[in-house]
Amino acid sequence: MNRKIVAAAAAAITGAGLVTAVALTPSASAGQTVPAADQVQSEIVAALSRDLKISPDQARTRLAGEQTAARTESALKTRLGPSYAGSWLDAAGTTLTVAVTDAALEGTVRAAGATPKTVTRSAAQLDAAKLSLDTKGTSAPKSVPGWYVDATTNSIVVLANAGTEATAKSWATASGVRADAVRVETSTESPVPLIDVIGGNAYTFGSGRCSIGFSVEGGFVTAGHCGTTGTRTSNPSGTVGGSSFPGNDYAWVRVDAGNTPRGLVNRYPGTVPVAGSQEAAIGASVCRSGSTTGWHCGTIQQKNASVNYPQGTVSGLTRTNACAEPGDSGGSWLAGDQAQGVTSGGSGNCSSGGTFYFQPISEILSVYSLRLVTSGSNPPSSTTTTPTGPTTSNPPSGTWAAGTTYAAGATVTYNGASYRALQGHTAQAGWEPPNVPALWARS
C-alpha cells in the first residue's frame, strides 16, 4: 500500500495569443494554464498536512496508498461481479476492506492485497434501496437532513434530528426499504446550498467554461457564444434561458434553486459592489473581471462597433483596450460601480495587449426583461441607460469621503482640488476622484 507516486510531467496550456493580423475570435471557454504535476502534488501534500494534521511525509505515504487502493478496488469490483458489496479505507488510509456477499470470494480479495468482509447485501442491492428513498425524496420529513449508502455497516443510513428518529424510520420503510436495512442516526445537520452567483466567477457548460457577467433576478447574464438556449450549466447550475449569437453576443442563465444571485463582481481578490447600469462615456475608464485573467482595466474607445467573427458578424459592441483571454467570455465590465456589459471577444491577450469588445448590458436587460441585482439598499437597475439620479439625498458639495453616495453632478473637494461627479455611485477606498475619471471630472 506504500507504492511510490511518480508524477508525470504536464504541459502547460495557455490562452490563445492572437496577433492583430489574425481574424478576431470570441474569447472561448478554454485556455486556462494548467500547473505542472509536481506543483499540484506539492499543493495537495501541503493541504493534507494542514487539514489532516499529519506530516508531509505521512501525507505522501497516504496519497501513494490511496492510489494503490483505488486501482485494487476497481479491479476487484469487476472480478467480484454481483457479489461486490462496497469497499473502504481505514482512518489512516492504509488498509482497504472489500465487502462481499459470497464468503467463497474472500480468497480473491486477499490475493489482491485487501481485507475481505462477508456481508448480507450487495452494493447493487444497497443502491437500489437508496433509489427507493430518492424517488420519495419530496415526501421526506423536514427533520430528515439526508440519507446515504453506508458500505461499512452494509445498510442505508437515514439522518434524523433529535427526537424524530422514529418518524425517519417510518418514512424509510414506507418508502420501500426493508427495516433491517435501515439505520437511523441522530444528526444536527441543516444543509443549505452554498453557491453565490458573482460576476467574473467561472461557470461551466458541457466541456466549456465561461464567466458570469452580472447577477439578475433569477440568474445571470453572460455571452451568447457561451451556450445556446436550453444548455445546462454547472457551478452554478442552471439553464440558458435565452441566447443570441452571432448578430448579438448575449445570453442569460436561469439558475436552479439554491444558487443566490449577488450584486457583486469578483475583483481577484475581493469584490466590487454593483450599484446600477448607467452607461459610461467614450474615453471613460472601465474594468473587466473574468475567470481566466482576473481583473484588468482600460478605457472605452468606441461604441456601436461591428465585429466579424468567424461565426458571423456581431453589431452594437463597445470597443476597448482592457485585455481578455479565452475563458473570460461573458465576464463583467464595470465603470466604477456601474455595470457596462459582458465580454464578447477580441484580438490579442493580456501579455501583448490588443483590442477587446463587450456587449452592452442595457440591450440584454431590455430584450429579456431582466432586472439587475444590485448591492446594498439600491433597488434593481432599470433597463434604461439614462441616469436616474441618486437613491438617497446627498450633499451637493463637501470633502470626498469613502462610503458616501454621490449623485451625478455632485461636487467635492479632494486634496485641494474640486471635482464634479459624472455618474451616481457609492464611493469606495481606491476610487478617489483623481483615480477614477469615469466617475469624476476636475472642475
Side-chain angles (χ1 to χ4, degrees), residues 192-209:
V192 294
L194 301 178
I195 294 181
D196 279 347
V197 180
I198 294 175
N201 284 0
Y203 74 94
T204 58
F205 56 102
S207 59
R209 173 180 61 81

Side-chain angles (χ1 to χ4, degrees), residues 81-101:
S83 183
Y84 176 75
S87 59
W88 60 92
L89 285 164
D90 65 350
T94 57
T95 301
L96 176 67
T97 299
V98 177
V100 294
T101 57

Side-chain angles (χ1 to χ4, degrees), residues 103-158:
L105 293 172
E106 289 187 355
T108 302
V109 174
R110 290 193 185 93
T115 300
K117 180 178 180 180
T118 301
V119 296
T120 303
R121 288 169 284 273
S122 69
Q125 289 172 321
L126 290 174
D127 288 340
K130 180 182 175 292
L131 182 60
S132 296
L133 297 186
D134 291 344
T135 58
K136 300 292 185 179
T138 56
S139 66
K142 297 297 184 184
S143 57
V144 172
W147 51 92
Y148 54 86
V149 172
D150 185 16
T152 63
T153 60
N154 196 232
S155 64
I156 303 297
V157 170
V158 177

